[in-house]
């Protein structure tokens, strides 16, 4: 697997740049990943979604879909599109250091 240096830390990534090792992620890496896709300021609402994705992944073993983030995480889908424009599921997973959700192109 290839590696990338994010926020001064070497992390393992797949061919699309998604992290592949859960425990290599930390908030600094998350901020670095966000910056790479044009999200420069992560606020509390961003972190709520990111933290939900990470804890849900730890419990479920796969990256949550937008529907799950809405229904289980309680975060409205419209808000997710504002926080993570255009492709929120893919962008949230990328920043959270998780595999791309199933169904994402």
């Amino acid at each position: 697997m290839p590696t990338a240096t994010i926020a001064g830390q070497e992390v393992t990534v797949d061919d699309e740049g998604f992290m592949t090792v859960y425990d290599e992620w930390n908030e600094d890496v998350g901020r670095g990943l966000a910056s790479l896709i044009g999200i420069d300021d992560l606020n509390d609402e961003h972190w709520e979604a990111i933290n939900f994705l990470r804890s849900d992944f730890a419990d479920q073993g796969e990256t949550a879909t937008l529907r799950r983030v809405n229904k289980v995480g309680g975060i409205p889908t419209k808000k997710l599109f504002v926080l993570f424009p255009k492709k929120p599921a893919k962008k949230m997973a990328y920043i959270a250091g998780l595999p791309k959700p199933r169904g994402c192109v």
Side-chain angles (χ1 to χ4, degrees):
M1 282 270 169
T3 61
T5 302
I6 308 294
Q9 181 177 328
E10 194 159 311
V11 297
T12 310
V13 296
D14 66 13
D15 293 336
E16 294 182 77
F18 284 81
M19 290 181 62
T20 58
V21 179
Y22 182 86
D23 292 329
E24 290 180 347
W25 186 91
N26 60 45
E27 287 188 4
D28 288 336
V29 169
R31 285 184 197 91
L33 290 167
S35 179
L36 289 175
I37 59 171
I39 300 175
D40 294 319
D41 289 320
L42 295 175
N43 62 35
D44 290 343
E45 291 177 323
H46 288 99
W47 286 113
E48 178 186 4
I50 292 164
N51 290 329
F52 171 78
L53 243 60
R54 288 195 54 83
S55 67
D56 192 67
F57 181 86
D59 291 341
Q60 302 296 316
E62 65 182 16
T63 305
T65 61
L66 278 184
R67 182 178 179 91
R68 184 165 177 82
V69 175
N70 175 268
K71 296 294 182 192
V72 178
I75 305 169
T77 302
K78 285 183 180 182
K79 181 185 280 188
L80 295 173
F81 272 91
V82 170
L83 295 171
F84 306 95
K86 296 188 181 173
K87 296 184 178 182
K90 190 173 180 178
K91 289 180 178 182
M92 285 187 301
Y94 182 79
I95 294 168
L98 302 174
K100 183 169 65 171
R102 290 182 188 191
C104 278
V105 179

